Amino acid sequence: MSDRPGNLFQLDGRKAVVVGGGSGLGRASALGLAEFGARVVIADLDTGGAAETAEAIRQLGHEASWRELDVRDGAGIGELAEAESDAEVLVVTPGINVRKRLVDTVDDEFDRVVDVNLKGTYRLLREFGARMGERGRGSIITFASFRAEVVEPGQGIYAATKAGVVQLSRALAAELGPKGVRVNAVAPGPFETPLTEQIKSDEAWYGAYARKTALQRWAKADEIAGTVVYLASDASSYVTGSLQLVEGGWTAIDGRFDPGV
């Protein structure tokens, strides 16, 4: 940890691997880390999006590269972790959702969401965690969701996987803490990203989400960057095993009725 407060958030000289950095919150995270000095590697199944994010970072005068990665491919994840074994920051953002009531779902839908959201995260934690532990330093940031804490009809499988991500993160924090590696989960609330297009297209659904937050609005993708930079940097040097809510106050308030008192 730096002994100069002015440097606490700086990431100069550190390599950050952002999985899912080709779009949405992953892209915003990658841009934020680069702005604070990190050398960013974008890993994504969407190679076009990954290349665009890397180019956007380079246009800002920072260093970035990209690689193709499918989080369902265990061998590919192992190859990435070995190739980027000097990474000091890992950000894991990929997620998919099937918005259907549980009694209407089928095994294939369950397996698909679990394989990406939970098992994909597990594979990345295992491979990068082992290498960071050997080197004695690192910060891993997983993306859960406020749905790990609160649910609504039609979000059961997604919520279960995101709760699992939180517990995997806490377990790895406990296991790697003595080796100098921190692991934290981020829980975004209603952010405008490709994953929430279905909600945004429904005016009643979209408006209800905005009204439930204390701030009475949805978040823009770049509003996640500050939390990611904080968790990646020495500013959070004593923070591990935590769930960082970024949900506009959703879970802090009731939100159903505003009494006239």
Side-chain angles (χ1 to χ4, degrees):
M1 175 178 171
S2 170
D3 58 0
R4 297 177 59 192
N7 292 337
L8 286 176
F9 292 93
Q10 286 303 125
L11 298 166
D12 297 341
R14 302 184 195 183
K15 178 185 285 185
V17 175
V18 181
V19 181
S23 65
L25 300 185
R27 175 173 291 183
S29 299
L31 287 163
L33 291 167
E35 283 288 285
F36 279 81
R39 296 178 291 122
V40 181
V41 178
I42 313 300
D44 205 306
L45 182 61
D46 175 10
T47 56
E52 288 175 8
T53 301
E55 180 59 25
I57 290 172
R58 289 193 289 266
Q59 288 293 324
L60 293 172
H62 308 300
E63 186 176 343
S65 60
W66 64 272
R67 296 175 61 102
E68 182 176 5
L69 181 71
D70 185 342
V71 297
R72 298 168 297 183
D73 177 8
I77 286 174
E79 292 169 5
L80 173 68
E82 188 60 30
E84 310 298 346
S85 60
D86 58 339
E88 293 188 51
V89 178
L90 172 68
V91 182
V92 183
T93 71
I96 61 173
N97 199 351
V98 174
R99 294 185 178 91
K100 294 171 69 175
R101 293 174 185 257
L102 283 173
V103 296
D104 298 323
T105 59
V106 296
D107 285 2
D108 178 66
E109 291 166 332
F110 180 91
D111 292 342
R112 189 153 33 97
V113 176
V114 168
D115 201 20
V116 172
N117 296 4
L118 187 57
K119 197 170 183 180
T121 298
Y122 156 72
R123 295 177 179 113
L124 286 157
L125 292 180
R126 181 185 64 199
E127 298 298 332
F128 277 87
R131 290 163 175 81
M132 288 182 178
E134 290 172 359
R135 296 177 65 232
R137 63 183 182 275
S139 173
I140 297 175
I141 303 158
T142 62
F143 269 56
S145 167
F146 70 140
R147 292 295 173 215
E149 299 276 292
V150 292
V151 299
E152 72 177 7
Q155 300 268 20
I157 299 174
Y158 180 80
T161 61
K162 291 304 185 177
V165 166
V166 174
Q167 294 302 80
L168 283 178
S169 303
R170 287 171 172 162
L172 194 64
E175 294 167 3
L176 295 184
K179 296 183 178 181
V181 180
R182 297 182 297 106
V183 188
N184 294 283
V186 177
F191 273 75
E192 294 191 352
T193 71
L195 189 63
T196 57
E197 281 296 325
Q198 180 183 3
I199 299 173
K200 189 174 181 179
S201 66
D202 185 318
E203 185 176 345
W205 201 355
Y206 181 80
Y209 269 43
R211 291 188 296 273
K212 178 64 176 70
T213 70
L215 299 178
Q216 297 285 286
R217 65 177 178 85
W218 282 61
K220 301 297 184 183
D222 60 7
E223 292 182 278
I224 203 67
T227 299
V228 173
V229 169
Y230 165 68
L231 291 174
S233 72
D234 290 342
S236 62
S237 60
Y238 202 59
V239 178
T240 194
S242 73
L243 178 63
Q244 302 285 311
L245 290 162
V246 190
E247 32 69 282
W250 182 297
T251 59
I253 62 175
D254 188 304
R256 289 171 295 181
F257 179 67
D258 188 7
V261 295

